C-alpha cells in the first residue's frame, strides 16, 4: 500500500496551530492551575514566565514543542498572559531570541512526565495498540493516524514527525492486512481455491466471467428479477465455502474485504498476487450468501410493496369510475327508506308505500350495486391484490425452495403456512382444505375463506406473502445468514459469555437463573392474578363488560379522587418542619464536606494538578450539569472559584464517566455507614422515577437511586 496517505493540508496542520482557538480549547488546555503558577512564578523576567507558560500549554494542546515557541495565536498569548498578570503580552518575541526556551522545554518534560517517541516501551505499546485496531476494524489509514496522534498526546508522548508516524501506521496496517489474507487463504483446500479462481474465467459462449455476474445484484423490482436473484443465491451457495470455520477472524474485516471484492471486476482480482486473490474470493464467497439473500429479500419486499401500491391505485380508479352508479343506488335506497321513518304511515302499509315510490326491480338493483361497490372500513384493496396473483406466481416456487425461513414462536403459524405453500407447489391436485388458517387476519378472511368454507388458493397465497413481508420487518421471521433480515437475537450474549454473566444478570433483574422454575413462578402468579380479577368482577361496580360491534369489551369507569387522610397530611407537615431551608448548592457542598467525594475527581492527564477551592468549582459544575442550565448562570467573575475559564477547565478535564462512577461509589459507601440506611434495608433495592430496581451491588448504585 502507498506510504503517503495524508493530504498536504493535513501534514501542514500536524503539530501546529492553525487559526485562533475556541473558548473551550483555551479553557481545557491553556488554564494554569495552582501548581503550574507556583512553578512559573520562580522564573524571571516576565517574558521568560510567559514563554514557559506558552510552551507548557502548547505541549498539552499539540503534543509537541514548536521550533519557534512564540508562533502562537495572539488570542492564546493574551489569555495566558492575563492569568499571569502580565500586562504587555507583546514581550513574548524576546523569549524566542534566547536559548532559555530549549532549557525550559527540558524542564517541562522532566517535571510533567513527557517522554520522547523513541522510548521503547511507549513505542511497543503504540505498535501493539495500532495493530489491534488495524486487525479488529477496517479504519482508514488517515483515521488511524489521527487516533494515534490523540493517543500519543493523551499518554504524554511527544509527537514524531508526520512522515515517521505515517510510515508506522502504514506498516502496521499492511501487516494486519497480510495476516488477514493469509488466514483466509489457508482456510480452504487447494481444490476449493482452484474452484474459486475459476470464477474469474469467462465460460464458453459467455461475455462476462462468473464472478462478474455473481457480484452484480438485482437492478429491477419484478418477478423475473427476484427469480434471477434467487438463482444467484443458489449459485453462491453451490460454491461450498459458506460453512468455513473462520471464527477467529474479525467478521467486519471479512465483510469489508467482501465489499471491496464486489467493487472490483474479475480482471482486477486476477492481477492480484495469489494469496490476496484467494483471500478476496474466499471473503466474497463467505459473505456472498448473506449479501445475495439480502438482495433477494429486498426485491421481495419492494415487490410486495409495489403490489399493494398498485392495488390501491387500481381500487381508487375503479371506485372513481363507479361513483356515479354508487350515488344513484344510494339515492334510491334513501328514497326507499323514507317511509320507514314516516310515523304517519302504518306498519302494514310500509311496503306498499316503498314500492309506490321505487319499483322492486329498481330496489334490488340498488342493493346489488351498493353491495358490489362499497368497501368495509379499513378493508383495503384485497380484490386488486388477488388480481395480481400472476406476478407472484412467477417467483413463488423458487422463492419458497431457495429461502430458508426461521422464526420466533410468534412467527411459527406463518412458517407452517409457508411450508404448506411450498408443498402445494409440488402437488398436481392441491388440497386447500389442509391449509393452516391461524395466520389469516380478520380483514383477509372474507376473501380467503369462501361461503362454502373452502380456501381460495390465490387469495391465500397473497395473504400469506403479505403476512411474510410484515413478519420479516418485525423480525418474527428471519433468514440466516443475512445482514439486514437476520435474527436480531444473534447479537445477544451466548455460550460461555452468557453462562459467565448469567448469575449477575439474573441477580440484577431479581430473577431465578433456573428457567423452568422462573417460568413456573411467573405462570402461577399470572394465573392467580387472572383468577382474582375474574372473581372480583361481579362485585366491582366500576368495571363492566360491554358488547360493541359483536365483541365483548372491558369498560373501566373513571376512578373517584380519594381524599388524603389527616394522618398523611400531618406526617408530611412534620417532615417538612424537620427539613432545613437551604439552597440546593449549599446541600451539595455540605454533602461534599461530609463525604469528600471531590477527592475522587482527577484531572484527565495531569494527575498532580492542584487548584484552590476545587470542591466549590466542582460542585458548581455538577450543579450546572444536573440542572441542565449550562455554566453561564453560575459564573461569577468576582469569585476565583466560579470564573468562566476555571469552570470550563474543570468541566472538560474532571467530569467523565470514570470519576463520576468513583464519586457515586464514595457516596454509596458513606451512606451505608448511616444508621438510618440500615433501617431502610440492605441497600440492594432502589427506586427512581417510580421504578423499582434490584441492584447488583451497592457500589454500582448512583446517587440518584438513593433519593
Amino acid at each position: 500500500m502507498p506510504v503517503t496517505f495524508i493530504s498536504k493540508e493535513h501534514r501542514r496542520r500536524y503539530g501546529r496551530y492553525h487559526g485562533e482557538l475556541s473558548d473551550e480549547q483555551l479553557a481545557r488546555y491553556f488554564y494554569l492551575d495552582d501548581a503550574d503558577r507556583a512553578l512559573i512564578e520562580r522564573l524571571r523576567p516576565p517574558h521568560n514566565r510567559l514563554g514557559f507558560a506558552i510552551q507548557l500549554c502548547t505541549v498539552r494542546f499539540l503534543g509537541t514543542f514548536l521550533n519557534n515557541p512564540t508562533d502562537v495565536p495572539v488570542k492564546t498569548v493574551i489569555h495566558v498572559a492575563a492569568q499571569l498578570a502580565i500586562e504587555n503580552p507583546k514581550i513574548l518575541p524576546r523569549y524566542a531570541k534566547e536559548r532559555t526556551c530549549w532549557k525550559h522545554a527540558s524542564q517541562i518534560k522532566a517535571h510533567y512526565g513527557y517522554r520522547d517517541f523513541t522510548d521503547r516501551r511507549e513505542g511497543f505499546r503504540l505498535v501493539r495498540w495500532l495493530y489491534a485496531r488495524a486487525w479488529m476494524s477496517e479504519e482508514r489509514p488517515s483515521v488511524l493516524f489521527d487516533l494515534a496522534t490523540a493517543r500519543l498526546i493523551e499518554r504524554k508522548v511527544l509527537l514524531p514527525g508526520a512522515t515517521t508516524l505515517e510510515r508506522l501506521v502504514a506498516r502496521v496496517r499492511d501487516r494486519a492486512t497480510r495476516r488477514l489474507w493469509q488466514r483466509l487463504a489457508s482456510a480452504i483446500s487447494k481444490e476449493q481455491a482452484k474452484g474459486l479462481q475459476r470464477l474469474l474465467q469467462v465460460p464458453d459462449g459467455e461475455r462476462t466471467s462468473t464472478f462478474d455476474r455473481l457480484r452484480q445484484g438485482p437492478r429491477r423490482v419484478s418477478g423475473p428479477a427476484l427469480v434471477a436473484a434467487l438463482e444467484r443465491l443458489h449459485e453462491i451457495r453451490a460454491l461450498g465455502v459458506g460453512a468455513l470455520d473462520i471464527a477467529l477472524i474479525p467478521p467486519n474485516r471479512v465483510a469489508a474485504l467482501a465489499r471491496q471484492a464486489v467493487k472490483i471486476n474479475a480482471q482486477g482480482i486476477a492481477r492480484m498476487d495469489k494469496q490476496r486473490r484467494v483471500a478476496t474470493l474466499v471473503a466474497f464467497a463467505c459473505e456472498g450468501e448473506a449479501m445475495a439473500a439480502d438482495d433477494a429479500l429486498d426485491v421481495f419486499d419492494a415487490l410486495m410493496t409495489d403490489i399493494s401500491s398498485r392495488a390501491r391505485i387500481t381500487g381508487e380508479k375503479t371506485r372513481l369510475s363507479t361513483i356515479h352508479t354508487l350515488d344513484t343506488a344510494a339515492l334510491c335506497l334513501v328514497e326507499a327508506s323514507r317511509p320507514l321513518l314516516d310515523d304517519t304511515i302504518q306498519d302494514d302499509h310500509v311496503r306498499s308505500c316503498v314500492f309506490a315510490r321505487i319499483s322492486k326491480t329498481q330496489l334490488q338493483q340498488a342493493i346489488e350495486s351498493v353491495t358490489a361497490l362499497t368497501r368495509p372500513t379499513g378493508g383495503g384493496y384485497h380484490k386488486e391484490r388477488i388480481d395480481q396473483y400472476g406476478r407472484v406466481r412467477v417467483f413463488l416456487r423458487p422463492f419458497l425452495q431457495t429461502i430458508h425461513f426461521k422464526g420466533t414462536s410468534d412467527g411459527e403459524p406463518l412458517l407452517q403456512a409457508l411450508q404448506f405453500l411450498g408443498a402445494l407447489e409440488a402437488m398436481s391436485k392441491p388440497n386447500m382444505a389442509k391449509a393452516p388458517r391461524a395466520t389469516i387476519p380478520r380483514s383477509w378472511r372474507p376473501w380467503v375463506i369462501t361461503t362454502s368454507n373452502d380456501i381460495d388458493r390465490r387469495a391465500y397465497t397473497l395473504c400469506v406473502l403479505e403476512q411474510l413481508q410484515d413478519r420479516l420487518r418485525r423480525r418474527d421471521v428471519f433468514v440466516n445468514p443475512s445482514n439486514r433480515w437476520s435474527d436480531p437475537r444473534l447479537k445477544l450474549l451466548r455460550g460461555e459469555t452468557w453462562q459467565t454473566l448469567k448469575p449477575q444478570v439474573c441477580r440484577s433483574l431479581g430473577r431465578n437463573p433456573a428457567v423452568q422454575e422462573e417460568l413456573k413462578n411467573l405462570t402461577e402468579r399470572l394465573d392467580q392474578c387472572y383468577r382474582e380479577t375474574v372473581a372480583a368482577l361481579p362485585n366491582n361496580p366500576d368495571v363492566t363488560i360491554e358488547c360493541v360491534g359483536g365483541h365483548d369489551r372491558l369498560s373501566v369507569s373513571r376512578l373517584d379522587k380519594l381524599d388524603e387522610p389527616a394522618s398523611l397530611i400531618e406526617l408530611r407537615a412534620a417532615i417538612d418542619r424537620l427539613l432545613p431551608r437551604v439552597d440546593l448548592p449549599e446541600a451539595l457542598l455540605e454533602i461534599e464536606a461530609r463525604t469528600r467525594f471531590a477527592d475522587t475527581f482527577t484531572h484527565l492527564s495531569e494527575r498532580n494538578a492542584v487548584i484552590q477551592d476545587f470542591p466549590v468549582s466542582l460542585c458548581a459544575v455538577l450543579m450546572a450539569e444536573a440542572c441542565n442550565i449550562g455554566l453561564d448562570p453560575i459564573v461569577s467573575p468576582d469569585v476565583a472559584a466560579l470564573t468562566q475559564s476555571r469552570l470550563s477547565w474543570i468541566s472538560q478535564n474532571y467530569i467523565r464517566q470514570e470519576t463520576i462512577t468513583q464519586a457515586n461509589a464514595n457516596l454509596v459507601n458513606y451512606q451505608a455507614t448511616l444508621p438510618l440506611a440500615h433501617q431502610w434495608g440492605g441497600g440492594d433495592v432502589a427506586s427512581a422515577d417510580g421504578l423499582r430496581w434490584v441492584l447488583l451491588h451497592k457500589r454500582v448504585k448512583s446517587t440518584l437511586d438513593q433519593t
Side-chain angles (χ1 to χ4, degrees):
M1 64 170 292
V3 174
T4 301
F5 53 80
I6 59 175
S7 63
K8 293 182 179 180
E9 178 64 18
H10 197 168
R11 194 183 304 274
R12 185 184 65 82
R13 294 158 66 101
Y14 175 77
R16 297 291 183 273
Y17 289 99
H18 44 87
E20 294 290 350
L21 276 62
S22 65
D23 294 338
E24 290 76 13
Q25 291 174 323
L26 290 175
R28 178 169 183 175
Y29 298 100
F30 292 83
Y31 183 84
L32 303 173
D33 60 25
D34 294 348
D36 298 335
R37 296 183 185 185
L39 180 63
I40 295 171
E41 288 299 327
R42 302 175 186 174
L43 304 176
R44 295 292 185 274
H47 67 268
N48 276 351
R49 291 192 288 117
L50 181 57
F52 185 95
I54 290 294
Q55 286 216 85
L56 172 60
C57 296
T58 295
V59 75
R60 285 175 176 173
F61 178 62
L62 298 177
T64 187
F65 294 102
L66 298 176
N67 292 331
N68 181 5
T70 63
D71 190 11
V72 181
V74 176
K75 181 180 176 181
T76 303
V77 177
I78 296 175
H79 179 78
V80 176
Q83 297 181 69
L84 299 176
I86 297 177
E87 298 180 355
N88 184 17
K90 296 181 179 180
I91 61 175
L92 182 62
R94 303 180 192 173
Y95 183 70
K97 299 178 180 180
E98 302 178 1
R99 297 180 57 86
T100 312
C101 58
W102 306 113
K103 179 180 178 181
H104 287 173
S106 300
Q107 291 177 354
I108 292 173
K109 287 173 55 179
H111 189 273
Y112 289 93
Y114 284 92
R115 287 155 291 181
D116 290 322
F117 182 76
T118 54
D119 185 279
R120 290 188 176 182
R121 290 176 297 179
E122 286 299 327
F124 173 76
R125 291 174 184 145
L126 177 62
V127 171
R128 183 175 59 182
W129 176 82
L130 273 174
Y131 185 79
R133 290 199 68 100
W135 172 247
M136 296 299 297
S137 63
E138 184 63 17
E139 292 171 329
R140 300 191 307 274
S142 58
V143 175
L144 286 176
F145 182 90
D146 291 338
L147 291 174
T149 302
R151 177 180 170 84
L152 290 173
I153 294 175
E154 179 183 353
R155 296 186 61 83
K156 292 187 174 182
V157 178
L158 298 179
L159 295 182
T163 303
T164 302
L165 185 59
E166 187 179 26
R167 289 178 177 175
L168 176 63
V169 170
R171 185 168 64 251
V172 172
R173 193 171 183 271
D174 184 63
R175 178 183 168 191
T177 302
R178 291 189 177 279
R179 180 190 177 192
L180 173 66
W181 297 343
Q182 188 273 331
R183 289 284 187 91
L184 288 175
S186 61
I188 60 175
S189 62
K190 293 182 179 180
E191 291 74 15
Q192 289 176 317
K194 292 180 180 179
L196 289 177
Q197 293 185 81
R198 281 196 292 270
L199 297 176
L200 305 177
Q201 302 174 3
V202 179
D204 295 337
E206 300 289 339
R207 300 182 61 182
T208 59
S209 66
T210 304
F211 176 81
D212 286 335
R213 180 168 50 81
L214 292 179
R215 72 186 181 92
Q216 297 293 335
R219 298 180 180 179
R220 295 183 297 112
V221 177
S222 64
L226 179 53
V227 173
L230 294 171
E231 292 175 352
R232 171 175 173 246
L233 172 59
H234 179 74
E235 196 168 352
I236 291 177
R237 284 177 180 170
L239 297 176
V241 184
L244 285 180
D245 184 12
I246 53 174
L248 298 180
I249 303 177
N252 56 331
R253 291 301 308 271
V254 180
L257 187 57
R259 289 193 298 269
Q260 293 177 8
V262 171
K263 299 176 182 179
I264 306 174
N265 58 24
Q267 291 80 2
I269 295 179
R271 288 193 293 267
M272 299 177 180
D273 62 79
K274 182 178 179 181
Q275 188 178 72
R276 182 182 180 185
R277 179 171 63 250
V278 174
T280 302
L281 292 173
V282 170
F284 171 77
C286 290
E287 293 293 319
E289 182 177 353
M291 292 189 294
D294 286 341
D295 292 339
L297 289 174
D298 288 344
V299 175
F300 168 75
D301 181 71
L303 183 58
M304 293 304 300
T305 302
D306 183 66
I307 289 176
S308 299
S309 177
R310 290 194 181 186
R312 178 181 57 81
I313 294 173
T314 303
E316 290 177 353
K317 287 183 178 179
T318 303
R319 191 172 179 83
L320 289 174
S321 64
T322 59
I323 193 68
H324 178 71
T325 305
L326 181 61
D327 289 344
T328 303
L331 292 174
C332 181
L333 293 177
V334 168
E335 190 65 23
S337 301
R338 293 187 186 279
L340 295 174
L341 303 176
D342 192 345
D343 296 336
T344 62
I345 301 175
Q346 299 295 327
D347 293 345
D348 298 340
H349 299 87
V350 171
R351 288 172 58 86
S352 60
C353 290
V354 170
F355 291 137
R357 298 185 178 197
I358 305 293
S359 67
K360 187 174 182 179
T361 303
Q362 289 178 320
L363 185 60
Q364 183 65 32
Q365 292 176 351
I367 293 175
E368 292 175 356
S369 298
V370 171
T371 303
L373 299 178
T374 56
R375 295 177 179 271
T377 303
Y381 299 93
H382 296 90
K383 180 182 180 301
E384 289 75 12
R385 286 186 172 92
I386 298 171
D387 291 341
Q388 300 184 68
Y389 176 75
R391 300 180 65 188
V392 171
R393 189 69 183 149
V394 173
F395 68 83
L396 184 60
R397 186 169 185 173
F399 181 72
L400 296 177
Q401 291 177 347
T402 307
I403 305 292
H404 307 306
F405 294 101
K406 299 179 181 179
T408 62
S409 57
D410 292 337
E412 189 60 32
L414 179 60
L415 294 179
Q416 295 176 3
L418 290 172
Q419 186 178 6
F420 172 79
L421 285 180
L424 204 66
E425 293 297 317
M427 298 180 184
S428 57
K429 295 182 179 180
N431 182 11
M432 296 300 299
K434 297 182 179 180
R437 304 190 180 191
T439 190
I440 305 175
R442 184 180 303 170
S443 61
W444 270 99
R445 285 187 176 273
W447 302 93
V448 177
I449 304 176
T450 63
T451 55
S452 58
N453 203 30
D454 294 332
I455 299 293
D456 183 276
R457 179 176 180 177
R458 298 165 72 246
Y460 185 80
T461 301
L462 267 299
C463 171
V464 171
L465 293 181
E466 185 180 271
Q467 293 299 305
L468 175 61
Q469 181 190 26
D470 178 65
R471 296 290 181 172
L472 279 170
R473 291 179 174 180
R474 292 163 53 181
R475 297 302 186 269
D476 289 337
V477 175
F478 45 82
V479 175
N480 289 325
S482 173
N483 296 320
R484 295 188 291 273
W485 306 94
S486 61
D487 184 3
R489 297 175 298 178
L490 295 177
K491 299 180 180 180
L492 299 177
L493 296 175
R494 294 181 296 168
E496 295 182 359
T497 305
W498 164 242
Q499 295 300 328
T500 302
L501 298 177
K502 181 179 179 180
Q504 301 178 18
V505 174
C506 292
R507 186 164 61 250
S508 64
L509 298 176
R511 297 302 180 190
N512 192 328
V515 178
Q516 297 302 326
E517 294 183 11
E518 182 67 24
L519 290 176
K520 180 181 178 181
N521 294 336
L522 292 175
T523 303
E524 292 176 353
R525 290 173 55 188
L526 181 60
D527 182 69
Q528 181 181 358
C529 291
Y530 276 140
R531 293 179 183 275
E532 292 177 355
T533 302
V534 172
L537 279 178
N539 302 323
N540 192 340
D542 298 321
V543 179
T544 58
I545 297 179
E546 303 174 351
C547 184
V548 179
H551 302 281
D552 292 335
R553 178 178 296 176
L554 186 68
S555 176
V556 181
S557 61
R558 194 173 286 180
L559 298 177
D560 296 332
K561 178 182 178 182
L562 295 178
D563 295 331
E564 294 181 348
S567 59
L568 177 59
I569 298 175
E570 183 179 353
L571 176 61
R572 185 181 293 117
I575 295 176
D576 189 60
R577 288 193 298 269
L578 291 175
L579 293 176
R581 299 296 179 182
V582 296
D583 290 335
L584 193 56
E586 295 179 4
L588 184 58
L589 288 171
E590 181 178 350
I591 294 298
E592 196 286 324
R594 291 175 180 270
T595 63
R596 306 299 300 174
F597 69 78
D599 296 340
T600 61
F601 286 86
T602 56
H603 195 279
L604 182 62
S605 58
E606 302 294 340
R607 298 295 179 178
N608 297 324
V610 179
I611 192 168
Q612 189 177 5
D613 295 331
F614 172 72
V616 176
S617 304
L618 176 66
C619 290
V621 173
L622 291 176
M623 185 62 60
E625 294 287 343
C627 297
N628 197 25
I629 59 176
L631 297 179
D632 292 341
I634 61 175
V635 169
S636 180
D638 298 332
V639 181
L642 299 178
T643 58
Q644 176 74 42
S645 57
R646 176 187 282 203
L647 295 180
S648 181
W649 176 71
I650 288 179
S651 176
Q652 297 185 69
N653 290 284
Y654 287 86
I655 308 299
R656 56 188 187 276
Q657 184 64 36
E658 173 190 353
T659 54
I660 292 176
T661 301
Q662 294 175 354
N664 282 334
N666 179 292
L667 294 175
V668 172
N669 292 337
Y670 182 84
Q671 181 176 346
T673 64
L674 301 177
L676 183 58
H678 294 281
Q679 297 297 324
W680 287 342
D684 294 331
V685 179
S687 175
D689 298 333
L691 299 178
R692 177 180 180 273
W693 298 89
V694 180
L695 301 178
L696 179 64
H697 192 274
K698 290 188 293 184
R699 288 183 178 273
V700 301
K701 290 191 295 185
S702 68
T703 308
L704 182 61
D705 291 333
Q706 302 298 315
T707 60

